Amino acid sequence: MNLLYEEGGDIKIATVQSATGAGDAESWQATSLSGKKIKLKAKEVWLRFEKPDAQGVMDEATALSKDIDLQLLWDCAPDEEFGLVDVCLEYFGAQPTIPQQASLAIALQGAPVFFRRKGRGRFQRAPLEQLQAGLAALERKQKELEQQSVWQQELIAGTFPEALRSSAKQLLFSPDKNTSAYKALMAACTESGESPAQLMIRCGAIDSPLAYHQGMFLKAHFPNGAQHSQGIAIDRAAYDAAVAELPLAQVQAFSIDDSGTTEIDDALSVTELAEGGHRIGVHIAAPGLAIAKDDPLDQLARSRMSTVYFPGDKITMLPDSVIEQFSLDAGVPRPALSIYVDIDGDGLVDRSTLQMRAELVPMAANLRLEDLEHLVSEDSLVDVGASYPYRQELSILWKAAKHLHAGRQEKRVANGLRAEQLGLIDPNALARDFHFQIKDVDGIQRVEIIPRQRGSILDTIVAEWMIFCNSASGQLLADHGLPGLFRTQKGWGPLRTRMQTTPGPHEGLGLDYYAWCTSPLRRYSDLVNQWQLIALAKHGVTAKMVAPFPPRDATLMGIAADFESCYQAYGEYQDRLEKFWCLRWVAQDGESKTVQVRHLKEGMSRVELVPLHLPVPELANHPRMTRAEVVIADVDLLQLSAAVRVLEIETKQDDPAAQEVQEAKENTEVVDEVPNNPEKDAGAA
């Protein structure tokens, strides 16, 4: 005997092997057409029959079910609940065959729009209104499938459907996977063997691999676009009121930056003291005087957390109009938060003279590294005949910077770290800083990557005095019990450097306190700290009562966490685009390029001329800094990968001292902690 039953929504037939019980309690051990052993109860069986054979019935029923007119079947069915045999008599007439009954079971089970399921083998026809709505939905679905098929074929042929062009970026970066457009795209990708990005570039929906990388970042971090809203600006009345009460500083300040820097956050001044020695001023642009906590500009800055730097462009934290008002551009006094400290004739800092005040700072000059760096040397600083500007001031700052550096190194050594080398790194070592110049040549973008060794006298002057400013700011906040965003580093491990709201040491820099405050135009952490410092400058010991962030403020803790994650994401994006342009540099003059690489560790190597890291397995067992000549080919600008073939590995290696210098240079975090890194702005020219 054979049994017709439903399993998992499908109609099936099984052949009985044995039976037990009787009536409604009867059950069977049976074998399905697939060979599966099953147990069926009487209430699960729709139909019993001896002949014809099970497989023949199923084959014939499947074919017949395709010809059943569901609308006619719905018309034949009664309004009340009915069984399979009842409707068979209405549809097929008297004595329907077993295959006809099985075909009707398949048709009823597969037509939920027409018939509601009321139990095993029991149905009721759908009300007319629901039937009409269901049929309309089926018609729409069929049209969607037809449209999906058309789009799929267009995509495979290399034509992006016009109807989808306006939503191309959404389709690639944040798709709704239930839409016909997405299903058509994925089906086309499956058929063509391409990724969605590759297919959309081929179809012209995405301009280039660069547009893909930029679009991914913008969608994740700037979903509403990177442009600033026109209506957000400094309240002029608030600005005038804040500036009107500021005293005019009796200094002539100057800044030192890369030529591409547009957000000039910091400047220096040197004033001779009547009793001997000099007073050094570190002047920081003060947008915190006019931007208030929770106002629209604060909300904007908090949403961005930092200016985003990458080769060829940048996304500023604050609108250009705000930057222009507070950037320390030469020519007119600018509102600034100044920290002053006295040094003696030998350049030793007297920390007991530390003072801070908000004031208007006359900006005498904006010095550019490209104009001065090659002129400034130990000899020229003491040469009264040297013709470059601010020679005497730079000489005084340099003398003091060397003492500041030496003092930090003593603490580094006490913390179990190696002392860092002052001044230029070994010229044979790998450069860490690069200037990316991207130009259009005959409608094609070309990149020139110019290496730059850090550690010049001007670099060191800026670095040491900005570190001093951040350290002094951290100390002032700590001494007065004010919370802030402190940059700490202690112990070892991936999370040893972090942002926290309570004071702590920075062992890598050799400092007891360290709080970023020298870049408030481009980093939100510095703006937050500036608010706290302004409260301290204006109110002294009562600052805790009026500061925007009181001790143990939960909002400040949230800002610290958000800033860390955001700053890391921005850094990863900068690294990603730098790798993109490095690979473009490799491929722009041909399909392959022969270059020299240096082995770093575990087979990972770096191209000498550009900051491109690539795996070279052949070097995995060679010492650090092993030099090799390789050919880079098969550049993939979407995956940011390339194939490397080794031509020659040099057997002569650098001396251990040179390797130690390079290792120390790569492991140090000092450059990353210096707020106004020229290389950050160099890529944004």
Side-chain angles (χ1 to χ4, degrees):
M1 184 172 66
N2 301 304
L3 306 174
L4 183 77
Y5 66 99
E6 178 266 333
E7 181 182 65
D10 297 326
I11 299 299
K12 298 183 178 182
I13 299 177
T15 301
V16 173
Q17 304 298 322
S18 62
T20 57
D24 292 340
E26 189 174 9
S27 62
W28 299 270
Q29 296 291 337
T31 304
S32 68
L33 293 178
S34 63
K36 179 182 177 181
K37 301 294 185 181
I38 59 173
K39 181 178 181 180
L40 293 172
K41 297 179 180 179
K43 62 181 181 179
E44 298 173 325
V45 175
W46 291 23
L47 188 66
R48 311 176 194 182
F49 61 93
E50 295 288 346
K51 293 181 180 180
D53 66 281
Q55 187 62 59
V57 169
M58 180 56 71
D59 293 342
E60 186 176 351
T62 301
L64 287 173
S65 66
K66 298 176 182 178
D67 296 328
I68 289 178
D69 187 337
L70 293 174
Q71 182 63 56
L72 176 60
L73 183 60
W74 185 86
D75 292 336
C76 294
D79 291 333
E80 63 275 6
E81 183 181 320
F82 60 86
L84 175 62
V85 176
D86 302 330
V87 78
C88 278
L89 295 174
E90 291 290 337
Y91 188 82
F92 289 111
Q95 298 181 346
T97 64
I98 295 298
Q100 287 176 332
Q101 295 180 59
S103 69
L104 206 57
I106 295 173
L108 288 168
Q109 187 71 12
V113 171
F114 286 85
F115 301 98
R116 297 174 177 176
R117 299 169 190 168
K118 307 297 289 184
R120 289 185 173 89
R122 305 292 297 175
F123 297 90
Q124 185 176 17
R125 72 177 190 174
L128 179 60
E129 296 80 4
Q130 293 185 14
L131 174 62
Q132 291 173 339
L135 291 176
L138 288 176
E139 185 178 359
R140 287 195 302 271
K141 182 65 174 178
Q142 182 60 34
K143 289 181 178 179
E144 288 176 1
L145 290 175
E146 293 172 356
Q147 182 64 76
Q148 177 180 323
S149 177
V150 171
W151 286 341
Q152 177 181 339
Q153 296 308 313
E154 288 182 4
L155 290 168
I156 293 171
T159 301
F160 197 78
E162 284 298 325
L164 304 181
R165 194 165 291 277
S166 62
S167 59
K169 291 184 178 180
Q170 180 181 356
L171 187 60
L172 182 59
F173 302 128
S174 56
D176 180 352
K177 297 183 178 181
N178 293 318
T179 61
S180 298
Y182 178 78
K183 293 175 182 177
L185 175 63
M186 298 312 297
C189 288
T190 300
E191 188 170 341
S192 66
E194 298 169 294
S195 68
Q198 288 173 325
L199 180 59
M200 293 182 74
I201 289 174
R202 179 168 65 85
C203 293
I206 301 296
D207 294 337
S208 64
L210 177 61
Y212 168 73
H213 296 302
Q214 292 174 334
M216 286 287 288
F217 174 76
L218 292 175
K219 192 63 183 178
H221 299 282
F222 297 88
N224 297 321
Q227 297 298 317
H228 291 285
S229 300
Q230 295 295 324
I232 300 180
I234 290 286
D235 180 83
R236 191 67 201 183
Y239 174 83
D240 292 340
V243 171
E245 64 183 20
L246 298 179
L248 182 65
Q250 300 304 306
V251 301
Q252 291 295 309
F254 58 93
S255 64
I256 305 172
D257 293 286
D258 185 275
S259 61
T261 303
T262 58
E263 303 149 291
I264 301 178
D265 305 271
D266 54 80
L268 298 165
S269 66
V270 179
T271 306
E272 188 173 0
L273 299 175
E275 61 273 19
H278 295 84
R279 177 162 294 166
I280 307 300
V282 183
H283 312 283
I284 307 302
L289 290 169
I291 299 175
K293 179 187 174 187
D294 296 327
D295 74 6
L297 275 171
D298 171 42
Q299 294 173 13
L300 170 66
R302 189 181 302 185
S303 69
R304 299 196 171 203
M305 286 293 176
S306 170
T307 291
V308 187
Y309 293 98
F310 49 92
D313 205 355
K314 65 182 175 184
I315 302 171
T316 58
M317 180 180 77
L318 294 171
D320 290 343
S321 60
V322 177
I323 294 172
E324 290 169 3
Q325 281 182 284
F326 289 97
S327 179
L328 301 182
D329 297 334
V332 294
R334 294 284 184 167
L337 188 64
S338 300
I339 285 184
Y340 291 98
V341 70
D342 295 348
I343 62 174
D344 63 17
D346 295 325
L348 292 173
V349 173
D350 182 1
R351 290 183 178 268
S352 66
T353 63
L354 184 69
Q355 54 183 301
M356 176 182 62
R357 55 178 174 262
E359 58 189 3
L360 285 173
V361 175
M363 285 300 302
N366 297 133
L367 305 183
R368 299 301 182 178
L369 288 168
E370 292 83 354
D371 300 330
L372 280 181
E373 197 165 38
H374 62 286
L375 299 174
V376 179
S377 65
E378 290 272 11
D379 293 335
S380 69
L381 285 174
V382 297
D383 181 3
V384 294
S387 60
Y388 55 84
Y390 293 91
R391 179 200 60 80
Q392 185 177 357
E393 289 85 349
L394 292 173
S395 177
I396 294 167
L397 290 167
W398 169 239
K399 185 185 295 185
K402 290 189 286 187
H403 288 296
L404 291 173
H405 180 271
R408 292 195 301 103
Q409 300 321 301
E410 290 179 5
K411 287 195 174 183
R412 272 182 61 89
V413 172
N415 291 331
L417 303 173
R418 282 181 298 191
E420 294 169 331
Q421 181 183 0
L422 177 66
L424 283 171
I425 300 296
D426 179 0
N428 294 320
L430 292 174
R432 286 188 70 189
D433 298 349
F434 296 85
H435 181 55
F436 289 76
Q437 290 185 342
I438 301 165
K439 302 176 181 178
D440 280 333
V441 179
D442 297 329
I444 299 175
Q445 285 187 317
R446 291 184 61 85
V447 60
E448 182 180 1
I449 305 174
I450 304 169
R452 176 178 178 269
Q453 287 283 9
R454 282 188 68 81
S456 69
I457 289 176
L458 290 181
D459 278 341
T460 305
I461 288 173
V462 173
E464 290 301 328
W465 281 108
M466 293 308 113
I467 290 173
F468 171 80
C469 182
N470 287 335
S471 174
S473 299
Q475 182 178 348
L476 287 170
L477 291 173
D479 290 347
H480 290 81
L482 280 172
L485 296 178
F486 295 87
R487 191 75 170 169
T488 66
Q489 186 186 94
K490 189 173 178 64
W492 300 96
L495 299 179
R496 65 183 182 131
T497 304
R498 63 182 209 149
M499 193 78 76
Q500 60 187 46
T501 60
T502 54
H506 195 299
E507 294 181 347
L509 290 175
L511 298 170
D512 294 328
Y513 306 103
Y514 192 69
W516 274 346
C517 68
T518 55
S519 300
L521 291 176
R522 61 187 185 89
R523 222 165 29 198
Y524 189 66
S525 60
D526 302 51
L527 180 60
V528 167
N529 285 336
Q530 186 171 91
W531 283 330
Q532 302 292 87
L533 291 168
I534 289 173
L536 181 58
K538 290 183 175 181
H539 302 279
V541 294
T542 62
K544 289 173 65 174
M545 301 174 62
V546 296
F549 299 97
R552 295 183 295 278
D553 186 84
T555 302
L556 188 61
M557 297 178 187
I559 291 172
D562 293 344
F563 179 85
E564 286 275 55
S565 61
C566 208
Y567 204 63
Q568 179 182 354
Y570 291 176
E572 290 172 354
Y573 176 62
Q574 180 178 0
D575 292 342
R576 188 173 185 83
L577 283 203
E578 285 184 356
K579 186 170 186 179
F580 171 87
W581 285 110
C582 286
L583 290 171
R584 274 290 297 270
W585 174 82
V586 169
Q588 66 186 0
D589 293 320
E591 295 183 357
S592 64
K593 196 178 192 75
T594 301
V595 297
Q596 303 292 330
V597 301
R598 292 291 188 104
H599 177 232
L600 300 178
K601 61 180 180 180
E602 299 176 356
M604 185 58 68
S605 302
R606 210 205 83 179
V607 178
E608 287 187 345
L609 297 177
V610 298
L612 177 60
H613 293 76
L614 293 170
V616 185
E618 292 87 344
L619 295 176
N621 296 323
H622 286 73
R624 283 179 54 84
M625 303 309 293
T626 296
R627 197 165 187 255
E629 184 179 21
V630 303
V631 174
I632 304 177
D634 299 329
V635 171
D636 187 334
L637 294 176
L638 271 176
Q639 299 298 322
L640 297 182
S641 62
V644 180
R645 178 167 57 89
V646 176
L647 298 179
E648 182 182 1
I649 299 176
E650 290 188 5
T651 55
K652 180 182 178 181
Q653 305 303 329
D654 289 342
D655 60 81
Q659 294 188 33
E660 185 174 316
V661 166
Q662 179 65 28
E663 183 175 356
K665 183 171 183 285
E666 290 169 356
N667 291 336
T668 184
E669 291 192 271
V670 171
V671 171
D672 294 332
E673 297 294 348
V674 176
N676 203 17
N677 281 347
E679 78 272 12
K680 291 292 185 184
D681 291 320

